[in-house]
Every structure is written in structure tokens, then in C-alpha cells.
């Protein structure tokens, strides 16, 4: 998409146009103009009202507030200090929610043409500062440059589609009675969280968001500063989930709760909203699986394997489990192992020469060193209990600065037969670990692909279309691909989940607008609710 570069005298990532370079061995250096200090200075230039010298402010009651207790934080990229969240207490969070309700009551009466104009102006501002937003994502959550840019672009392009198509979607519908509260994980601050917030506002609701505990604070703060300048009613607060949940989930002022995260936290939110009868959208994790059955197109599979490691599989639609027909296992390995050995990780901003473009990496660090250790411990435990290590990468081949902290990095690992006692057997690892399960019958294939009581996506690779047509409906995933991965989707594409992977209203296209607006009379929204399950 076309972008407007930001005026700056410093060398910046956006100065390196064209294709990114492959990782180059040898001594590396940080790309000039990409340091955290450079990004912070640019944030202060763009939005001085939100960025102080040593911290960010919370945004509530349509004003930037110097409140909350700012905690220290480090970048997963190299362990260096970055801005930490200014955590509010519960009482202040309740004040913020009440203030958002006041904004909501005014905003819901703003004509749609005016709402469209303000959201469109916000998108123009986000486009202008696209590269800065992406650079913040690199430092805060460790995304490689290519994927960080894609996260920003998907948010902008996705919301622009709604701006262009919103009128028929809202015909005969009204905003909710209170603001929408957003609690999302750290991995997609722009394309999931900011995207949802702007569409919710476009539909006539004030919006509240809690900054993810593990990362994305500065990026979200900058995005919200740009939206607030255009008059979009946004609230952005930081704090622990336990302390703020009473305000952000249970408060009577809240019209809808939108949650993206793990099953444990999601279950607690689901219990709360069910008790209160509150509108909700709860996207939770599931073990997304890729089945191999009577299949022979191994070149196609080998081509897709490295792409499945994008962002270290820290995605809700990642595929960490292959379920393979035993008689095809040798052929599967012949395609899979050379492909996984080509997966590359390292420092997303390291270059061999200052003039080089930023490196093309499959993934950088995990979200923090604690997660890296937890995952490494799970792998070691699974092997101790009987899993067979088929591939273990090494950081020695990584793309790193001399002497940098690599404690948040985990190289790709592949295990055969994770034991039932291991978390890797039944849960999403949220890291660059593949597990393989061998099966002999179609019944075993389906049982293994449905191991987690519901998933968001799945894929079945088989040469016989009739076999796919017969088995795919029995796979408990919202989207099932044939030989190709499925994704969350954009624009009009619907999204949801089966079983424990999703609770509440489905989203995407018209369904997202229906989820955050009210129609005439009693309506049954498509979704996965305690009392019913309704597909679109």
C-alpha cells in the first residue's frame, strides 16, 4: 500500500525500500535510526501529549492522564529497557469506565457520515506513521520487520474496508447501550486490537482497551493518540487483569466484552459475562492441526513449512501439530526436515552494513525470556517422557549482534509423539515447536486432529477431494483448508471457533458489526453460546 514517509533527518527503516535482505553471516550492527531511543524520540515528536521523557500516559475521560504505577519492562529483542505499562488500580479503572460511558452516550448519536470521516482520518494518520508503528512492534513484541509492517497494514486496510462498506451493515441497527471493552493478547496489537477498536467505534460505540501485559504499550499508545486527535472516543488503560477485570468485564456500564487470549483467562471472563448476560466475543486458543492422509504433493508441503513458522508460531492460527498417516511418515520427513532446517531466526534490526535493508527472518524472539524458558523446559520434559526429537535448531546459526542477550530466543524444534502427560500433547505451545503424531486409521486421524476440544483453523492434505469432503466436516475447527493453511481472514471473511476455542458471537465482515450493535427485537447472533451454537 502507498505510504507517506515521516519527515525526519535520521536514517530510519522506511529509508530501506525494496526487498529485504537474507540474513548474512559475519559481524552485525544495529541498523542506524532503529534503536529504541530513536523510536521513543519520534513518538514524543508525533504525540507529546501521550509520551513523556520516561513513561507513557493512560488515556481516559478524553484526556491523557499521568497516573498509574509505571513498571519496568525489557524488550524481548535484546533484553534492553523499554517503556513499561503505567498500571492503574481498580478504583481508577472504574472511573475510566464511567467516563467512557459518557463518551458512548454522546458518540452513539453522531451521524454515521461523521463517524466514517473521523475513522478515515485516523487511518490516514496511521498510514502516515506506519513505519514508526511497525518499529515499535519490533522492539515491544519482537516481530521481524516484514511481519511488523504487515500487522500495521492489515489494521489500516481492514478498517478502511469497513469504512467503505459500513452503511448496509448498520441499516436497521443501533449501537450498544454501553462501550465495548477490549482485552487482547500481545501478539497482534494493530491487526487484531486496533482493528477491532476502530470498527467498534465506526459502528457507534465508545471503546475501551487494556494494554496487553507483555507488550505493545507504545504502539497502542501512539495509535490511540492519533485516533483521539480525530475525535474517536477511545480509552486506553494499563493494569493487571486480576485488578482491572471487575471494571473492564463486570462493570454494568460495559455493553460488550471482546477478549483474545488463552483458555484459562478466557474461561474466567466467560463465566463473568454469562452470569451478567453481557454481549461477548471471546477468542481463545486451540491446538490447530495439519493432517496428512493419502497424500503425495510433497513439494507443495515443503514450500509451506517455513511460512508456518512466521513469528515463531506465536499466532492464534499457527499450526503446531502434524497428524501423519504412518505409511507416509518417511516421505513426510523427506519433505519436512530440509524445509524446517531453512527456518531462520535472529535480531530483527541487525545488519551487516549500515546501508543494508533490514533482514528477512522467519521469526525473532519469543515474547520474553520466561516464555522461552518455559517452552524449552516443556520440550526437555517431553523428551524425558518419551518424545523423539526429530529436529533441534541452534542459536549458533542465528542472526545476532555480537554479545547480545538471546535469552528470549528459541530455535525450531520438532518432536515425534509427545506423551499424553506433556502440555505439548494437548495445548498450543505458542512458540516454534512442532509436534507429530502418527495414525493408522481415519478414526485415529480425526481423534488426533480434534485433541483440544475445538480449534480455530485446521488443514487436511489429501490427494482425493472426496476424502477431504468426507472428513473435513468432522474436524472441529471453524476453518478447514485443503492442502493450504487457513488464517483469521480480513474484510468480509468470517471468523470464529468450535468447542472451547471460542465463546460468544462470531466476527468478520457483517458479523463483527452485528456483534457490537443491536437489531430490532430478539435476535440470535451467529456464535458459540452456552445455550446455543449457530453457524452463519
Amino acid at each position: 500500500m502507498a505510504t507517506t514517509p515521516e519527515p525526519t533527518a535520521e536514517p530510519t527503516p522506511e529509508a530501506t525500500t525494496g526487498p529485504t535482505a537474507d540474513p548474512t553471516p559475519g559481524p552485525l550492527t544495529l541498523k542506524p535510526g532503529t534503536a529504541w531511543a530513536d523510536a521513543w524520540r519520534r513518538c514524543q515528536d508525533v504525540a507529546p501529549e501521550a509520551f513523556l521523557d520516561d513513561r507513557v500516559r493512560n488515556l481516559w475521560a478524553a484526556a491523557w492522564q499521568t497516573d498509574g504505577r509505571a513498571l519496568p519492562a525489557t524488550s524481548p529483542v535484546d533484553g534492553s529497557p523499554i517503556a513499561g505499562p503505567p498500571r492503574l488500580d481498580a478504583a481508577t479503572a472504574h472511573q475510566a469506565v464511567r467516563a467512557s460511558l459518557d463518551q458512548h452516550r454522546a458518540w452513539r448519536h453522531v451521524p454515521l457520515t461523521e463517524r466514517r470521516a473521523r475513522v478515515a482520518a485516523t487511518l490516514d494518520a496511521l498510514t502516515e506513521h506506519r513505519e514508526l508503528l511497525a518499529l515499535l512492534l519490533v522492539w515491544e513484541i519482537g516481530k521481524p520487520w516484514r511481519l511488523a509492517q504487515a500487522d500495521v497494514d492489515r489494521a489500516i486496510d481492514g478498517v478502511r474496508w469497513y469504512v467503505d462498506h459500513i452503511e448496509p451493515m448498520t441499516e436497521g441497527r443501533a449501537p450498544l447501550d454501553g462501550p465495548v471493552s477490549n482485552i487482547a493478547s500481545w501478539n497482534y496489537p494493530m491487526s487484531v486490537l486496533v482493528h477491532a477498536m476502530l470498527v467498534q467505534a465506526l459502528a457507534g460505540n465508545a471503546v475501551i482497551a487494556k494494554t496487553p501485559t507483555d507488550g505493545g504499550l507504545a504502539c497502542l499508545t501512539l495509535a490511540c493518540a492519533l485516533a483521539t486527535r480525530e475525535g474517536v472516543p477511545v480509552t486506553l488503560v494499563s493494569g493487571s487483569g486480576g485488578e482491572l477485570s471487575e471494571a473492564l468485564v463486570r462493570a454494568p456500564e460495559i455493553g460488550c466484552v471482546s477478549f483474545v487470549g488463552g483458555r484459562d483467562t478466557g474461561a474466567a471472563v466467560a463465566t463473568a459475562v454469562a452470569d451478567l448476560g453481557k454481549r461477548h466475543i471471546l477468542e481463545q486458543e486451540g491446538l490447530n492441526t495439519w493432517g496428512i492422509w493419502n497424500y503425495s504433493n510433497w513439494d507443495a508441503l515443503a514450500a509451506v513449512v517455513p511460512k508456518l513458522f512466521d513469528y515463531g508460531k506465536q499466532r492464534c492460527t499457527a499450526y503446531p501439530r502434524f497428524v501423519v498417516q504412518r505409511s507416509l511418515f518417511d516421505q513426510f520427513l523427506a519433505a519436512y526436515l530440509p524445509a524446517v532446517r531453512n527456518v531462520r531466526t535472529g535480531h530483527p534490526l541487525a545488519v551487516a552494513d549500515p546501508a543494508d535493508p533490514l533482514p528477512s527472518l522467519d521469526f525473532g524472539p519469543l515474547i520474553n525470556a520466561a516464555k522461552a524458558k518455559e517452552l524449552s523446559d516443556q520440550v526437555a520434559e517431553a523428551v524425558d517422557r518419551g518424545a523423539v526429537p526429530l529436529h533441534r535448531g541452534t542459536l549458533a546459526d542465528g542472526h545476532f549482534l555480537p554479545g547480545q542477550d538471546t535469552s528470549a530466543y528459541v530455535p525450531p524444534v520438532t518432536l515425534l509423539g509427545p506423551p499424553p502427560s506433556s502440555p505439548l500433547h494437548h495445548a498450543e505451545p505458542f512458540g516454534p515447536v512442532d509436534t507429530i503424531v502418527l495414525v493408522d486409521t481415519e478414526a485415529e486421524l480425526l481423534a488426533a486432529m480434534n485433541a483440544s476440544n475445538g480449534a480455530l483453523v485446521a488443514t487436511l492434505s489429501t490427494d482425493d477431494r472426496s476424502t477431504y469432503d468426507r472428513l473435513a466436516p468432522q474436524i472441529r475447527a471453524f476453518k478447514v483448508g485443503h492442502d493450504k493453511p487457513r488464517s483469521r481472514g480480513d474484510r468480509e471473511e468470517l471468523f470464529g471457533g468450535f468447542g472451547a476455542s471460542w465463546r460468544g458471537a462470531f466476527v468478520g465482515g457483517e458479523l463483527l458489526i452485528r456483534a457490537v450493535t443491536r437489531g430490532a427485537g430478539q435476535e440470535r447472533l451467529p456464535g458459540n453460546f452456552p445455550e446455543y451454537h449457530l453457524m452463519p
Side-chain angles (χ1 to χ4, degrees):
M1 62 179 288
T3 62
T4 304
E6 301 174 47
T8 175
E10 299 177 328
T12 61
E14 60 267 36
T16 60
T17 58
T20 55
D22 290 327
T24 304
L28 302 175
T29 185
L30 189 67
K31 175 78 175 177
T34 66
W36 172 254
D38 298 320
W40 188 260
R41 282 196 298 271
R42 292 170 63 192
C43 287
Q44 289 181 303
D45 290 342
V46 173
E49 68 274 24
F51 293 86
L52 303 179
D53 288 340
D54 60 344
R55 60 176 291 169
V56 301
R57 288 176 161 137
N58 287 299
L59 171 62
W60 58 274
W64 291 96
Q65 315 279 354
T66 309
D67 54 12
R69 182 168 59 94
L71 298 182
T74 58
S75 169
V77 171
D78 60 3
S80 60
I82 59 173
R87 298 174 65 150
L88 296 180
D89 57 27
T92 308
H94 277 287
Q95 292 181 49
V97 170
R98 286 191 291 270
S100 181
L101 178 61
D102 292 339
Q103 290 180 293
H104 179 83
R105 287 170 171 165
W107 178 253
R108 63 180 299 169
H109 297 297
V110 173
L112 178 58
T113 53
E114 178 65 18
R115 299 200 305 264
R116 288 180 62 191
R118 294 189 190 184
V119 172
T122 300
L123 298 178
D124 291 342
L126 293 174
T127 301
E128 179 183 356
H129 300 290
R130 165 184 180 260
E131 287 79 11
L132 177 54
L133 291 162
L135 183 58
L136 294 170
L137 291 180
V138 174
W139 279 110
E140 293 193 286
I141 62 174
K143 284 201 170 183
W145 181 241
R146 170 180 61 88
L147 298 178
Q149 290 177 301
D151 192 14
V152 177
D153 290 345
R154 284 184 62 192
I156 296 170
D157 295 343
V159 178
R160 204 175 293 280
W161 181 86
Y162 280 95
V163 169
D164 294 338
H165 295 83
I166 186 66
E167 289 176 290
M169 297 184 194
T170 55
E171 187 174 351
R173 305 190 66 81
L176 299 175
D177 294 334
V180 181
S181 177
N182 295 269
I183 303 170
S185 57
W186 42 265
N187 51 345
Y188 283 89
M190 292 295 298
S191 63
V192 172
L193 183 50
V194 169
H195 176 280
M197 293 166 64
L198 292 179
V199 174
Q200 293 159 7
L202 182 63
N205 303 289
V207 294
I208 305 169
K210 186 182 90 68
T211 58
T213 302
D214 289 323
L217 169 70
C219 179
L220 287 168
T221 299
L222 179 58
C224 288
L226 299 175
T228 299
R229 287 180 180 178
E230 303 302 335
V232 178
V234 174
T235 294
L236 182 66
V237 295
S238 293
S240 72
E243 190 161 14
L244 300 194
S245 63
E246 189 69 24
L248 301 185
V249 175
R250 291 182 171 274
E253 294 91 344
I254 298 296
C256 176
V257 176
S258 177
F259 170 87
V260 180
R263 289 193 179 186
D264 291 343
T265 304
V269 174
T271 299
V273 295
D275 290 346
L276 299 168
K278 198 181 292 290
R279 185 76 63 96
H280 58 283
I281 306 162
L282 310 182
E283 176 186 333
Q284 300 169 157
E285 62 191 356
L287 184 62
N288 306 316
T289 58
W290 191 302
I292 307 288
W293 190 261
N294 293 340
Y295 179 72
S296 63
N297 193 359
W298 300 112
D299 288 343
L301 180 69
V304 79
V305 166
K307 299 174 184 177
L308 300 181
F309 279 88
D310 272 358
Y311 195 36
K313 303 203 177 214
Q314 297 177 106
R315 298 176 289 121
C316 66
T317 53
Y319 286 82
R321 167 69 51 79
F322 286 93
V323 181
V324 182
Q325 188 175 6
R326 191 183 305 273
S327 60
L328 298 179
F329 185 47
D330 57 336
Q331 298 173 64
F332 170 83
L333 283 185
Y336 174 87
L337 288 177
V340 76
R341 288 173 184 140
N342 286 327
V343 172
R344 293 290 179 262
T345 186
H347 193 305
L349 303 173
V351 293
D353 184 274
D356 286 346
L358 292 171
S360 180
L361 300 167
D362 296 295
F363 63 96
L366 299 193
I367 187 58
N368 52 49
K371 174 59 181 177
K373 183 181 185 305
E374 174 191 283
L375 189 58
S376 297
D377 288 346
Q378 289 178 353
V379 168
E381 181 182 54
V383 172
D384 286 344
R385 295 181 180 181
V388 178
L390 299 177
H391 172 73
R392 283 176 169 171
T394 172
L395 295 183
D397 300 329
H399 185 81
F400 298 109
L401 297 175
Q404 81 160 80
D405 184 328
T406 59
S407 58
Y409 293 79
V410 174
V413 176
T414 306
L415 302 178
L416 172 65
S421 60
S422 168
L424 298 177
H425 178 81
H426 54 80
E428 184 180 14
F430 233 62
V433 176
D434 276 344
T435 56
I436 300 173
V437 173
L438 302 183
V439 295
D440 296 297
T441 68
E442 290 183 355
E444 289 178 322
L445 174 80
L446 292 170
M449 293 190 71
N450 293 328
S452 69
N453 183 25
L456 302 176
V457 297
T459 291
L460 179 60
S461 287
T462 179
D463 294 342
D464 182 17
R465 179 71 199 197
S466 64
T467 298
Y468 173 82
D469 291 340
R470 178 167 48 83
L471 296 179
Q474 301 177 66
I475 298 171
R476 297 275 292 166
F478 191 79
K479 296 181 180 181
V480 181
H482 184 198
D483 298 343
K484 296 179 180 179
R486 298 303 306 270
S487 68
R488 184 184 179 92
D490 294 299
R491 302 175 176 88
E492 69 269 25
E493 189 171 353
L494 308 182
F495 193 54
F498 284 108
S501 68
W502 194 282
R503 300 173 190 268
F506 294 148
V507 296
E510 181 186 2
L511 291 190
L512 176 52
I513 300 300
R514 290 180 64 185
V516 295
T517 57
R518 294 195 178 277
Q522 296 293 321
E523 62 176 348
R524 282 162 54 95
L525 296 175
N528 187 23
F529 295 91
E531 61 275 15
Y532 71 89
H533 180 96
L534 179 62
M535 289 298 293

